[in-house]
Amino acid sequence: MGALAVVLITFFWLAVGVVGPFVLPKRIHDRGLIRVMLVLTAVCCYMFWLVGYMCQLHPLWGPRFNPKVLVAMRREWE
Amino acid sequence: MGTLFRSQEMALCQFFLQSEAAYCCTAELGEIGAAQFRDLNKDINAFQRKFVNEIRRCDDMERILRFLEKECQKEKVPVLRLGENPMAPMPRELVDLESTLEKLEREIKEVNVNFEALKRSNLELLEMKYVLKKAQQTFELDGMAVLNPESKSDTELLGTGHDATQVHRGVHISFLAGTIPLIKVEAFERLIWRISRGTVLLRTSNIEFPLEDPATGDEILKATFFAFFQGDTLRVKIRKVCEAFRATIYPVPDSPAEIREMSIQVMTRLEDLKTLIGHTQQHRHMVLLASAKNLDLWEIKVQKIEAVYALMNCFNIDTTQRCFIGEAWVPHQDMEAIRLGLLRGSEKAECSVPSFITPIKTAETPPTYHKTNKFTSGFQAIVDAYGVSTYREVNPAPFTVITFPFLFAVMFGDAGHGFIMACLAGLLLWKEKAIMAKRDKGEIATTIFGGRYIIFLMGLFSIYTGLIYNDIFSKSFNIFGSRWYPRTSIYNLTMEADKLAGATFQLDPTPNALLGSDYRYEGRYSIGGPYPFGLDPAWAMSSNKINFINSYKMKMSVIFGVFHMAFGIVLSCFNHTYFKRRVNIICEFIPQMIFLMCMFGYLVILIFYKWTKFDASTSGCSPSLLIGLINMFLMKNEPNPKNQDGTECHMFKFYNSQESLEKALVVVAVLCFPWMLLSKPLYQRWRQGRVAYSTVRAAGSDTESVESGQSRSPTSVPDEGGHGDGHNEGFADVMIYQGIHTIEFCLGIISNTASYLRLWALSLAHSQLSEVLWNMALRKGFMMNNIGGAIVLFTIFAWWACATFGILICMEGMSAFLHALRLHWVEFQNKFYQGTGHAFEPFDFKKTHSTARLDQD
């Protein structure tokens, strides 16, 4: 269910972290450094998003609200 | 990554410079800035070195330049600083420069002296003018009454004009006139009264306009005084008192005609003097203006000359071959550039015999040189602050470029604050060139400017983590539609108001519940699944938000900690491979990795497993990972309790073969300890035994082959050095070292993983602070709904903005910076970093120039 978000984001960071280092033009002087930066950024940011996504996949318990907030949620967010 | 991954390869080279070309070649070397010279004349006193005279002359010139600069500042003549970089002048230009500077100094000193003399006479004339004016008033108005109340004719007294003394009825009345500083007037009056026993009449009056002191340029208030007395003894006494009080006495005639004449003379002289002073000032200004144009260039040239001579003092002089010999560390990459520089220098000096360099072999450890640009220099600086990396070991800086701002952002975690931080750093980047040209910015500003790229990346990553934490100035965005919708009708929201007050309702995400779940996998833009990017915005308004966020952030911290530390261990493997310490790979790298993975790698896998396999329908039965980990080590296998409907409640065992797998992991982890502790010392001992055996067996050939095989490995390999001893002491040392290392690692794994929990702690603190600021400050500003409310909101916003910047961005920013730095220095780098090198300090004109500027300021 809802694979769109996972697919999009995974492919985005794959493009940055796996494809990017190969696609980077050879004439850049700091090519090695930029490749390291791309890979590390992709790994860190993807992991961070993944942890945030997975902890909400099957939440074990829900948020607790003031009744006013509940009424507002029902009205505004649907 | 080639240049930054390891430090540059260095070679110790000997420089042979011909005497004629030595100066020019050294100047060229200074321009290139790629060689660190050693002082070959360390035992010679500074005053006995060859070029001490030249350095003294340079110091003299610097003194003159400082004097000129001060004069320019006094005259408010702006010194041109175009940031040019002139070449070091030839020695013959040095003489010209010296004479020019000396001439300038003499000229300006002369002008200053003249100016002061002119000002002094100006002051005297001015004072004279005031005294004369006062005298005119005194004598014309009431002089008659003072001096001779009984005289009837006014010409009697004032008519003679010969002498200051008047003879009338045998009474000689004389007077003295002058000026005295205003502050001393009272004391002066008192003293005159006392010494004259009241027989002297003293008249003082203030001069309205302050006068300029010629020496200091300050403004002084003075007063004129007239002392009327009889007799010469009193005159002498009064003169003495005037000397003591530094009052100046002016010769004032007593006839009004003479006074008028003198006044006119004084006036004309004053006019002349004024024009003269004007001319002198203009001349001085012109001279200073002319010198100000070249001041910067001269300063740089003199600094370069001095640096060149200071370096040439470090050379050995080989008089037989008429050449200078120097030793320097040179990076392999820059050898060609230096050769070309020496060629250029020889050409400039028109010397036919070339100067050259040759590499020499040495067992010393070369200095560590990292070639950085303006982007990486900041990151290299924060790595070097802990310790300069050992020669040719893996440099953590290229990885720190991303991991440091990222870990900062995990702790900072607010998109709004991150945006402000990125904007401020972006401003620094935009105005980079202008700010770099400024001279003294102060230490804090220089530090912040030096870290502008770091701060910019920190801000960008903070925007990302802030969007995932869904925290923008403590508010959340609902972009993709919240998955929490209070659907169930058991929330009886139609209760009376008084029963509802204080009540809270908790949403229930149990899927497929009879009455419908409060958690749905759909939202806006038909993106299914949980909230696709970041934390669901419903949590922001809930009262139990912190419970959920704690669980999320703690697990996230442990996951990132394990990954970061595993990365550090992998880097140590790179070091082992490069330095050809294969024994370390088997005896240290593999057991370390297995130990980490068995304990905390397993925990990370469990975290991910629990997130996927358990949901709200079994939430009462979900295992506690922490207790599970503890039970794993205690090898305690509690049976699962049974649910009400007979199914098993997976609180302790939640997958098949869990017991056996966990037992195996614990056994393997425990076995890694003696593996790390004993394998390497025992292996080395065994090898020493073999070497000694073969030395005994075959005299010469075998040992040579074994020893030469050892020496082929690169320099600075402290572990292999123990081979040469082959005694018991070597073994004991290695055992102790290995024991300390192993215990530090094993205990460190647990404490370091816990240390990564600061990622959770700081982000919690930051979000709570910003929430408090919203609740206590800005929210109150929205409460009034009229014009008064607008003014209140305006004021409160100012206060909220200042607190946000000062507390949340600056203070919390510094705090997160520090903790991210600590995580890198301690938890990450103690897995692989030695940090025992010394930095490369080349002979570079740019560096001498900037340090000289710092000293001046």
Side-chain angles (χ1 to χ4, degrees), chain B residues 353-519:
Chain B
V353 186
S355 314
F356 54 95
I357 67 173
T358 53
I360 54 179
K361 286 213 191 322
T362 174
E364 279 179 40
T365 320
T368 311
Y369 176 45
H370 292 292
K371 226 186 186 125
T372 54
N373 52 24
K374 65 180 177 180
F375 175 66
T376 50
S377 60
F379 298 100
Q380 189 65 52
I382 62 177
V383 168
D384 285 344
Y386 185 65
V388 178
S389 42
T390 318
Y391 179 62
R392 294 298 278 173
E393 78 163 341
V394 169
N395 179 20
F399 311 109
T400 307
V401 170
I402 292 293
T403 55
F404 176 76
F406 181 73
L407 288 184
F408 171 90
V410 170
M411 290 191 268
F412 199 65
D414 189 312
H417 303 149
F419 177 69
I420 294 182
M421 196 181 255
C423 283
L424 289 175
L427 185 69
L428 282 182
L429 292 182
W430 191 31
K431 299 278 182 199
E432 200 175 43
K433 288 205 176 60
I435 300 181
M436 270 207 280
K438 276 210 207 147
R439 278 193 98 188
D440 53 345
K441 303 168 275 232
E443 200 173 323
I444 297 184
T446 315
T447 314
I448 294 183
F449 180 70
R452 58 198 182 278
Y453 285 102
I454 309 180
I455 300 180
F456 185 62
L457 281 181
M458 277 159 35
L460 289 182
F461 275 107
S462 298
I463 299 178
Y464 180 77
T465 58
L467 287 176
I468 293 204
Y469 286 155
N470 220 344
D471 191 356
I472 298 102
F473 293 117
S474 82
K475 300 276 112 202
S476 289
F477 285 165
N478 185 6
I479 306 176
F480 301 102
S482 171
R483 278 25 179 181
W484 295 97
Y485 183 71
R487 204 188 295 258
T488 62
S489 57
I490 63 171
Y491 304 120
N492 191 354
L493 298 173
T494 59
M495 276 196 283
E496 284 91 30
D498 53 348
K499 289 220 192 86
L500 267 180
T504 52
F505 295 101
Q506 182 158 12
L507 299 188
D508 184 5
T510 313
N512 310 318
L514 278 166
L515 296 162
S517 167
D518 295 317
Y519 190 68

Side-chain angles (χ1 to χ4, degrees), chain A residues 1-6 8-9 12-13 29-78, chain B residues 1 373 375-376 398-399 401-402 406 410 461 464-465 468-469 478 482 484-486 500 503-507 509 519-521 528-536 538-539 541-544 547-548 552 556 559-560 563 608 611-612 614-616 619 622:
Chain A
M1 63 183 115
L4 177 67
V6 186
L8 269 179
I9 294 186
F12 174 72
W13 287 118
H29 183 252
D30 286 312
R31 186 166 185 240
L33 177 68
I34 298 188
R35 286 163 96 177
V36 167
M37 285 169 67
L38 283 175
V39 172
L40 276 176
T41 310
V43 168
C44 289
C45 292
Y46 180 66
M47 284 291 315
F48 197 65
W49 170 82
L50 188 67
V51 166
Y53 186 81
M54 287 188 72
C55 83
Q56 292 181 103
L57 259 184
H58 305 292
L60 296 178
W61 38 271
R64 180 174 276 273
F65 294 110
N66 192 316
K68 284 196 217 168
V69 176
L70 275 178
V71 171
M73 271 173 80
R74 279 173 87 123
R75 202 178 58 203
E76 301 287 339
W77 284 1
E78 180 66 34
Chain B
M1 190 174 36
N373 52 24
F375 175 66
T376 50
F399 311 109
V401 170
I402 292 293
F406 181 73
V410 170
F461 275 107
Y464 180 77
T465 58
I468 293 204
Y469 286 155
N478 185 6
S482 171
W484 295 97
Y485 183 71
L500 267 180
T504 52
F505 295 101
Q506 182 158 12
L507 299 188
Y519 190 68
R520 55 192 183 164
Y521 288 105
Y531 196 76
F533 192 77
L535 227 58
D536 201 295
W539 288 106
M541 302 172 301
S542 62
S543 55
N544 60 350
N547 297 356
F548 181 76
Y552 158 56
M556 180 261 306
I559 293 172
F560 274 105
F563 270 86
F608 279 106
W611 274 338
T612 49
F614 290 87
D615 60 21
S619 64
S622 55

Side-chain angles (χ1 to χ4, degrees), chain B residues 161-227:
Chain B
H162 291 308
D163 193 9
T165 52
Q166 291 296 311
V167 180
H168 187 84
R169 286 220 230 124
V171 171
H172 302 253
I173 302 207
S174 12
F175 70 95
L176 282 176
T179 57
I180 184 173
L182 192 59
I183 35 180
K184 302 188 184 170
V185 162
E186 280 183 35
F188 184 66
E189 284 183 355
R190 239 177 287 137
L191 190 55
I192 296 272
W193 178 265
R194 273 201 216 119
I195 59 162
S196 62
R197 298 197 194 102
T199 54
V200 170
L201 171 67
L202 190 65
R203 274 278 191 92
T204 58
S205 77
N206 300 354
I207 303 180
E208 309 87 43
F209 308 108
L211 301 163
E212 197 186 335
D213 183 8
T216 57
D218 298 333
E219 297 195 325
I220 319 176
L221 289 169
K222 285 201 172 179
T224 57
F225 68 88
F226 289 90

Side-chain angles (χ1 to χ4, degrees), chain B residues 279-290:
Chain B
H279 281 291
T280 316
Q281 235 173 1
Q282 224 179 8
H283 176 67
R284 196 175 106 119
H285 196 83
M286 300 284 289
V287 171
L288 283 177
L289 209 64

